[in-house]
Amino acid sequence: MNDVLRTLREARPAELNPDAPVGDEVRRAELARAMAAPAGSGAREARVPRRSRVRPAWGLGLAGAVAAASVGVVAVTSGGDGGPKAPGHGPQAGPERPLDARTVLLAAAEKLDGTSEPAGRYWHKSTVGTSSWLARGQGGERYTVLLMERSDEWAPGGPGGKMIARQQRLGVKPASPADAAAYRRAGSPKTLSLQVPIQPSGKGGYKAMKVSTGPGTASTSRSALVDGDKVYWLGRNVTMKQLQSLPDDPARLKKEVLRWYDGHDTESSSVPMKADAWLFRVAGSLVTELPVRPKVRAAAFRLLAGLKTVDSVGRVTDPQGRTGDAIGMTEKSASGTVRHLLVIDPATGKALADERVLLAPSGKEPRPAGTVLDSSSVMTMEWTDSAPK
């Protein structure tokens, strides 16, 4: 796995600084282990990665399909082996008219209003993520595979501690039956040559990355907090105290987080982003990974309910086989038109997963419409007194 990470780092031109645009897949794969880099290794910049997901900052591959391209409806499903299936093979949203996004979000907020979380020394977050990659097969034939990984983080509840990260690659598999057929034509190799975008996806060339199709061993590492107290990235470096102090009123929460909005992407100052898309990402982080109070997560759902650009997708199934209601927003990226989804458990109001689905590829994007670019399934999000030794 170290060879994979080295290839990913080398694929990024040296002249690109931390704020320069980098391919989404490369950035997520790099940031997935940014917290885990040893101190002084140079792999971590003087800022906290926004996420640590395949986004721990990393991954968004719920496997899904474009059920209706005109409205960007996506369905997601899980294979019998627990891994995601390919686009186009999941159960579509039922014949019933799906609940509108506002209803879904306000219902989730109400579920969270009456909940509480016990205190602990560490904020523990566990995710299973997938990311979509192109592989070269027989005679140069290209097919899509999904790289799956589990990521755990333990963030200290106060300043002066260390971030503990554990990563394990779960394996690589073809993304669809057609991709599986291409994989077999290539001789079902145990090692694949994946194509890593050197520049932002769709605008530059690719570099080969060798990766085994089997699972890897888990690795655990520790790193000091940025400035001794910054634990996460939310458009800027933030401390645990700042996250715990966020207001639980949606209007005040929106005003507070918009103070950090400067018209660009949460991760790159050179990529423009509209305020609604920025709020969708920030509010999504609050409900899927960050150590905020349940009432703040409820406020984040209500904040999203007030955005006119957020709409309902319907009932879907995430890669872990869990059923939820999905809401989404359509964005433009270097890859083309992308659908960003958030899957919510209607029974608990908790976020189950998020994903990005390619609706319309850009001119130079080789992956077809319907490709799930990346995803992250939330497995654990809790305060605990226990952490790896």
Side-chain angles (χ1 to χ4, degrees):
M1 199 58 177
N2 287 336
D3 291 338
V4 174
L5 295 177
R6 182 161 53 252
T7 301
L8 285 168
R9 286 193 292 269
E10 291 173 352
R12 180 176 174 177
E15 68 270 21
L16 292 181
N17 61 44
D19 289 327
V22 185
D24 288 338
E25 294 81 6
V26 176
R27 179 176 288 279
R28 286 187 173 88
E30 287 177 339
L31 294 184
R33 298 172 182 79
M35 285 294 189
S41 67
R44 193 157 73 96
E45 307 293 345
R47 76 171 205 179
V48 178
R50 180 176 65 90
R51 298 179 181 271
S52 40
R53 359 179 240 173
V54 163
R55 206 172 42 161
W58 128 325
L60 294 170
L62 296 182
V66 180
S70 61
V71 295
V73 174
V74 175
V76 293
T77 182
S78 175
D81 58 0
K85 283 187 179 178
H89 297 274
Q92 305 302 315
E96 317 87 36
R97 185 180 182 87
L99 297 174
D100 64 272
R102 181 175 176 82
T103 299
V104 170
L105 291 162
L106 293 181
E110 289 178 5
K111 291 285 186 180
L112 292 175
D113 276 339
T115 64
S116 61
E117 292 175 342
R121 294 177 57 204
Y122 296 93
W123 175 250
H124 177 213
K125 178 187 63 175
S126 179
T127 59
V128 173
T130 67
S131 52
S132 172
W133 302 81
L134 286 174
R136 282 197 177 277
Q138 189 176 29
E141 180 182 20
R142 292 192 294 192
Y143 56 95
T144 303
V145 297
L146 300 174
L147 188 153
M148 299 164 287
E149 183 157 324
R150 183 181 179 102
S151 174
D152 285 82
E153 286 182 356
W154 291 264
K162 288 191 175 183
M163 179 73 74
I164 304 172
R166 175 176 290 166
Q167 310 287 341
Q168 182 178 17
R169 184 165 51 82
L170 302 179
V172 180
K173 64 184 294 185
S176 73
D179 294 312
Y183 174 68
R184 289 192 295 271
R185 286 193 295 271
S188 302
K190 299 299 183 183
T191 300
L192 297 178
S193 178
L194 305 185
Q195 295 177 272
V196 181
I198 297 174
Q199 295 286 344
S201 184
K203 291 188 177 181
Y206 291 81
K207 184 171 182 175
M209 176 181 75
K210 298 291 184 181
V211 60
S212 170
T213 58
T217 57
S219 62
T220 303
S221 60
R222 292 163 173 77
S223 57
L225 302 182
V226 172
D227 298 330
D229 61 354
K230 307 300 191 303
V231 288
Y232 287 106
W233 176 259
L234 193 66
R236 67 167 185 173
N237 288 334
V238 290
T239 67
M240 191 68 76
K241 183 178 180 179
Q242 288 171 323
L243 289 172
Q244 289 287 296
S245 300
L246 286 173
D248 56 22
D249 173 78
R252 289 177 56 212
L253 179 63
K254 181 178 180 179
K255 182 178 179 180
E256 175 69 16
V257 297
L258 277 177
R259 293 193 300 113
W260 310 335
Y261 173 64
D262 290 322
H264 57 73
D265 189 291
T266 56
E267 296 180 14
S268 175
S269 62
S270 57
V271 178
M273 178 176 282
K274 293 183 178 180
D276 274 17
W278 192 90
L279 285 168
F280 190 92
R281 288 201 187 181
V282 169
S285 294
L286 294 177
V287 300
T288 61
E289 61 179 324
L290 296 181
V292 297
R293 293 172 292 128
K295 284 187 175 294
V296 175
R297 291 192 199 104
F301 279 132
R302 292 187 172 100
L303 186 163
L304 289 172
L307 300 181
K308 295 181 179 179
T309 47
V310 174
D311 54 21
S312 177
V313 172
R315 187 61 56 88
V316 301
T317 304
D318 79 358
Q320 309 307 313
R322 304 171 300 186
T323 301
D325 293 320
I327 56 99
M329 177 180 289
T330 301
E331 306 171 349
K332 293 290 186 179
S333 76
S335 296
T337 303
V338 174
R339 183 76 157 152
H340 188 177
L341 300 181
L342 181 63
V343 184
I344 302 166
D345 182 356
T348 65
K350 295 180 179 180
L352 296 175
D354 63 13
E355 69 172 359
R356 294 188 315 133
V357 181
L358 184 62
L359 296 185
S362 62
K364 293 185 178 180
E365 171 57 63
R367 289 168 294 187
T371 298
V372 179
L373 298 176
D374 44 49
S375 74
S376 180
S377 298
V378 181
M379 308 306 296
T380 302
M381 203 166 57
E382 64 181 1
W383 285 101
T384 178
D385 288 327
S386 301
K389 300 298 184 182

